[in-house]
Amino acid sequence: MTEIPQNTSGKKLGLVIDLDICVGCHACAVNCKEWNTSGHSAPLPDNDPFGQNAEGVWFNRVHTFECGQGADSRTVHFPRSCLHCEQPACVEVCPTGASYKRAEDGIVLVNEDICIGCKLCSWACPYGAREYDGDSGVMKKCTLCIDRIYNENLEETDRVPVCVSTCPANARHFGDLGDPISEVSRMVEERQGYDLMPELHYQPVNKYLPPRPKSADYQSEQPKRLTPVAARPENEEAGGLFRWIDRVLTR
Amino acid sequence: MTRGYFEPIEEINTSPTISDEIKYTTCYMCDCRCGIKVHMKDGGIRYIEGNPDHPVNKGVLCAKGSAGIMNHYSPARLTKPLKRVGERGKAEFKEIEWDEALELASKWLSDIRKSDPRKLAFFTGRDQSQALTGWWASQFGTPNHAAHGGFCSVNMAAGGIYTIGGSFWEFGEPDWDLTKYMLMFGVAEAHDSNPIKAGLSKLKKNGAKFVSLNPIRTGYSAIADEWIGIRPGTDGKFILALVHELLKADKIDLDYIVRYTNLPWLVIQNPGGADDGLFARGIDGEPVCWDTGTNQAADARLAGVSPALTGSFRLDDNREAVPAFALMATRYLGEEYSPEAAEQETGVSASTIRRIAAEITETAFEKEIEIDQPWTDWAGRRHNKMIGRPVSMHAMRGISAHSNGFHTCRALHLLQILLGSIDCPGGFRYKPPFPKAAPPPLKPTGKADQITPGAPMAGPPLGFPAGPEDLLVMEDGTPRRIDHAFSWEAPIAAHGMMHMVITNAYNQDPYPIDLLFMYMANMSWNSSMNTAGTKEMLTAKDEETGDYKIPKILYSDAYFSEMVAYADLVLPDTTYLERWDCISLLDKPVCSAEAAADSIRQPVVEPDRDVRPFQSVLIDLGARIKLPGLINEDGSPKYPGGYPDYIVNHERAPGIGSLAGWRGEDGKNHGTGAPNKNQLDRYIENGCFWEHKLPPEQHYFKHANRDYLEYAASVGFIEASNQIILQVYSEPIQKFRLAALGHGQIQPPDEHRERIEKYFDPMPIWYPPFEGEAIDTKMYPMHALTQRPMAMYHSWGSQNAWLRQIHGTNPLYINRKTAESFDIEDGDWVWVISHHSKVKAQVRLMEGVNELTVWTWNAIGKQSGAWNLDPDSPESKKGFLLNHVISELLPEKGDGFRYANSDPVTGQAAWYDLRVRIEKANGQENEITAPQFDTLQPPEALPKRPKILRYGRMYSRIQELEEPK
Amino acid sequence: MHPAYSVIFFTTFSGAGYGLLFLMGLFAAAQWIDPVRWFGFTGFFFAFSMIVSGLIASTYHLGHPERAWRALSQWRSSWLSREGILAVTGFVPFSFFAMGWVIFENHGGAWRLMAVLTILFAVLTVYATSMIYATLRTVRAWFNRHTVRVYLAFSLWTGSVWFNLLAHLFDLHTPGIGMIVVITGILALWLKRKYWMFLDTSPTWVPPEHATGLGDLGSVKLLDAPNTQENYVQQEMGFNIARKHAEKLRRWAFFTYFLIPWSLALITFESDPWIKIPGAILAVIMVMVGTMIERWLFFAEAKHTTMLYYGASDS
Ligand SMILES: Nc1nc2c(c(=O)[nH]1)N[C@H]1C(S)=C(S)[C@@H](COP(=O)(O)OP(=O)(O)OC[C@H]3O[C@@H](n4cnc5c(=O)[nH]c(N)nc54)[C@H](O)[C@@H]3O)O[C@H]1N2
Ligand SMILES: Nc1nc2c(c(=O)[nH]1)N[C@H]1C(S)=C(S)[C@@H](COP(=O)(O)OP(=O)(O)OC[C@H]3O[C@@H](n4cnc5c(=O)[nH]c(N)nc54)[C@H](O)[C@@H]3O)O[C@H]1N2
Ligand code: SF4
Ligand code: SF4
Ligand code: SF4
Ligand code: SF4
Ligand code: SF4
Ligand SMILES: [Mo]
């Protein structure tokens, strides 16, 4: 039943996304599509793919925001996928139990065999992470690459979500956010990783690392500058070249 | 936790088999050439991922590469050779068999070759087989060949090659691991798509500072520690102001300058004389410096001399000469290069420029890097450390796509040189086979005596002129090439001028051509300026004869692009997953600073259509028309096996072939060696690439590193292992200027003299971009630019079902403040008007763009019906192409002559000189972009567009979806 | 939120159906009217057909209607599931109640208990329906105390207009009916007004700054969406109605769901059949149309937090 299960292991698998180095290249989004359209939730169909309103099912999408105005505004690229919340209303509202959160690792999944396609879970998701496959009449979503992360046919090192392994900027990290000493948890610790819309109390597992503040020297009152070599009169005569005349340099 | 009948526990197979076979090859969704692993399952493509061992991408894939499957299965793929039956541009074709197609093509070609080979203009676009195509053109005997470099980034390439014997992208890269400060000029994506992303992330994680100069803040600039929204076309001014500051404060690496550059060389001072501004040379022609030790002129290349950097000296022949350094310092200490002067042009405050100057010198000299790695310099002297000046720079078309790009690029290298950060730890690093001599001793071929009907040309069509004598001009100084490359209009057009071919062919200037043969270039659309005009020229007919002005057009494409519609004969190519390719050291290799490398593509799936790989077709055609290099004595084809056969067995010079790996019968050599019939197998075993890692002592100072230079010479990268001296003062450039001043045999026609004299300055200069000077900037106050979207590749990404969901349309981006001053709002429709033409587009406001600049994504707009897209697709109705408002010619100045809209030195297309004004499209907001062109009808044989795409369904565990709902 | 017609039809009609059942149950339990067979028959006929057609309509927007039965499984957590269960089980007391009234013409004794259960189930079912919306934290316009009240009030109000029609058809003169019509009408009007006042005055729920967590860098504005054509999420949650348009519709709704049916009901108290019956019929039509407009607005005016990622400046 879809009451949120007691997570016995305390394991919380999820992603940490570093907004400081995300260049907004969409690689994670497209690679996710490529992997998953033939993966656990296959297919991820595209309607009218070569027509006027091409739109398909994607588990990961990259937005671009501008923050602030004028000179000190900033552009931030913002990938968005399921955050595998600890309090996923998407699961609570599901009338069939098709939506569920795994006890063993906290991954939120849809059981397509019993989903009736009522879409209520997508209404319940504040983050727009659920995408409806009208073609097969079921809800689909990020699986955290469930068919990869435990896949014995893959090298240990390849057992990560494809959005992570493909990110050219290495801005995405996968791990156990339930384990305080895991690499991802430490990253979150050091970089003040944060939750999206904490006020809604979904308690996302995925964390975002904020863009770093601009370096201090930027826009300072008295900016650095080089001090010209003291202009001696003879220096001027030589068109300012005098200072190099007595330099002995060997090749 | 128990789950009852109502909620069955989902049985998840967490270890599905991913592939029954993995095939390695090289991605071709762009020019970056990453290694890929293609997972094959049940005869289909399950998944394409990056090859973790590959030197270029180390396992990652970008958005384009990840969407490769969608290009491979695109409904725009051509299916059979096409012969035009209707009027050009209408895309009315008849499908024909390959035999007929090849018969026809070879007839056209051999007729031309027998009469006048120049009447073949053979130009290629985004291809990666220029080693083959260039060689084929020389074999054919036409000088009229080039790839797309002329409209791409030749300023960057030539500026670098003539200065440091290398450049960015294929030629070099920043030292991502060690750099502590990076300046990036005008880069949106660049060719090194993945390496740059990986590098920037490394650099930022290392706490280095990353500064991006770019009028637009997207992509890389968005993650920069400091974004400087410089005004387009003014980087030269900015860079030379930094030089000014460095000189003033004497914060330059004099030891580096003396050891590695030609700044100590003596330059003859003889105003008005034929030798003015040339290097003083000794009896053997060696450049000389003034040795302060012996107090006399000495061979400037000798180790141990102590050259004077300033002062004026009398040579034995009584001529006066000064060190180039003095000329350089005197010029850039001048007030015209002060930060204040720069502020006027660049819009960047003088204090910012000063601060940057302080920051880079502080990093270079106070944060100097020492690596305990002994190395031996060119003179055999052992150094026990490698000293690094950890300031790196990278630049691309933001600098090169301007009419002042060549000099701006040289200015950039000058700055790097003064900091001593060329090929040192933390600085810029060459990628083998670079550095080469600046410039390399390779000359363009195509003079009268070099062209004979029915015979090959002695050398390659392209090269690096070292003076007027190397130009390809008639006695009267008019061009010899159809694109006017290597003429007085663009003497150092080292990559040709593809963007002028159609215009010149139409004007029959300098002569009419008979066949325009193109490959992989969408020249009736996004790769041409003045698109509408180009379409007219392609279809224009001669009044009397009624024939087309450009009589025949032969074209190879893999997809139903806009250009296909203009071909008389279309040779359908395979997709990148269906063919052999060769990324050769003779072309644009995939080396890294620490390794020489090359790679191949192997077919991973069989074509399901009647198409053939273009390179094999080209080799076939060559054999049919009996090109010497392509037939045996008995006239039989030399490479019956097609391209793979050629890749393995063709030798450019004895022992040197397309691939450097596993050479020699036994495959034990690399670089040079006899052909090895198993070479391709070795490549495949190794993941389709070959890599030779340089030993640590060769990692830096390659231009002066004896071990490296000897290695490079031994494998044929360079002619000899001499030190490669950085040419800050460029004598070849000065030679052109002297010609303009009336010296020497070959001089420019009078109408060109002034221009040559002005722009052939042996040291970097800055001048305002041409278009802005030629028009009334009050009428056209704004700059208009395009940028590469990271998730699209030029025009060919739009047929991709996934990528076009990301970029289906392109707005015109305007600075919010600026828009408010025109009371333009988000979503308004506006006209973008240039001196040449106008386009209608929809506005999106943004903060992160220079206030005088508008921009859009490149090549998103499509002609209705092209690419087998819905005629009303967003690409054609909401998307637009900025190219319509860019003229390939500059406005005429009095005498009626119109120069190409290009750099005066290299002929680089000046895309980003564009000036426009913005007007609200009042009352005309029919919410469709303009101009619109006739809808193209795809050939019948192309598949119908599916209503829904279910890629991967064959791998789905749920198989109940038989019929589409 | 995108106004799905199936859902609008469903909530309006089943709401009216349950309202009508509620009143019949109430009048029976209170023994305010005699169990006249044909009165009962017509009443149950209207009520059942409205509820059933509503339920059927509600399965139209399902991807897998044939699996609808599965929706009964998650009563522990899902209000949608609870609604389904109540809707189904409710039919047990309803049928007994109906049996007593129509067949045995009796609502006393044990039948009376059925009447009470009917009241209970009617209320609970409508309550469950409203809770589906009222518990969605993602939609400010729904996640508030007004939602449930308005649903219950409208169910009662529409039901009573139907009840009024029945009364006239069978010519029962119970002053209570008139009173109920007057009161429930005003109640519905008042609660909906309060809802709209709340909606117009409630501060931003979640700002883009919180959706992205980038508030420290300044006000957050979308530059580029991930896709240039609308995707499912935008189509489903992105429906947005212009302020002006909404106001117009609210006015229309006021006339149709309240003013016209309410005044018609009033004037039809004590007039002769030739006026009151057509009047009552018109009132029913009007109130149903009006309620559907009101439901349409309930969706159209609702902003979903997801749209903050697609350019919405508030939610
Ligand atoms: N406004 C503006 N215009 C520009 C630029 C800009 O910055 N702004 N950039 C310029 C630059 S730098 C460049 S390089 C050009 C690029 O422009 P183009 O050289 O035209 O490159 P594409 O449009 O990517 O593709 C060219 C053609 O190659 C075809 N093709 C794709 N794959 C294959 C294949 O495997 N085999 C064959 N035979 N054909 C194939 C495609 O179908 C397409 O028709 O655009 C230039 N145009
Ligand atoms: N994803 C993707 N990658 C590609 C391509 C593609 O189509 N898609 N095309 C490939 C090709 S053919 C090429 S040539 C390379 C080009 O690689 P880039 O040079 O990165 O490509 P552009 O989009 O031309 O980028 C030019 C940048 O310079 C900026 N700019 C324009 N004028 C100025 C100026 O005066 N000063 C400064 N400082 N900046 C300026 C523009 O804002 C833009 O950001 O990319 C290659 N890689
Ligand atoms: S792949 Fe990495 S850099 Fe690119 S958009 Fe995704 S997270 Fe950002
Ligand atoms: S992000 Fe949305 S879909 Fe994912 S768990 Fe949270 S609420 Fe559910
Ligand atoms: S759509 Fe499927 S998963 Fe979502 S709530 Fe309905 S039944 Fe559950
Ligand atoms: S974890 Fe897997 S499914 Fe989820 S976004 Fe990343 S790639 Fe897509
Ligand atoms: S950068 Fe992307 S498209 Fe280009 S070769 Fe690499 S993976 Fe392919
Ligand atoms: Mo290019």
Side-chain angles (χ1 to χ4, degrees), chain B residues 327-340:
Chain B
L327 298 173
M328 185 276 296
T330 317
R331 172 179 290 183
Y332 302 114
L333 281 167
E335 275 317 299
E336 97 182 78
Y337 295 101
S338 69
E340 282 68 20

Side-chain angles (χ1 to χ4, degrees), chain B residues 303 375-383 704-707 710:
Chain B
W375 64 287
T376 315
D377 70 20
W378 84 94
R381 289 170 298 189
R382 194 89 174 135
H383 304 260
N705 182 317
R706 191 181 66 186
D707 299 331
E710 280 170 358

Side-chain angles (χ1 to χ4, degrees), chain B residues 152 188-190 213-214 233 235 397-398 402 787-789 792 794 912:
Chain B
C152 186
E189 172 77 337
L213 276 92
N214 196 317
D235 299 70
R397 295 187 59 257
H402 288 285
Q787 293 202 104
R788 304 283 185 272
M792 268 284 170
H794 295 291
Y912 297 152

Side-chain angles (χ1 to χ4, degrees), chain B residues 27 29-30 32-34 61-62 64-65 193-194:
Chain B
C27 183
M29 294 294 286
C30 94
C32 188
R33 294 154 297 169
C34 301
L61 274 196
C62 80
K64 297 158 283 149
S193 301
N194 282 330

Side-chain angles (χ1 to χ4, degrees), chain B residues 552-568:
Chain B
K552 302 190 192 68
I553 299 178
L554 175 57
Y555 182 50
S556 167
D557 201 314
Y559 307 98
F560 183 59
S561 66
E562 285 85 353
M563 184 60 207
V564 166
Y566 292 85
D568 302 321

Side-chain angles (χ1 to χ4, degrees), chain A residues 40-59:
Chain A
H40 174 72
S41 317
L44 273 53
D46 301 285
N47 297 310
D48 200 11
F50 306 100
Q52 300 177 35
N53 299 306
E55 57 93 17
V57 175
W58 298 63
F59 293 165

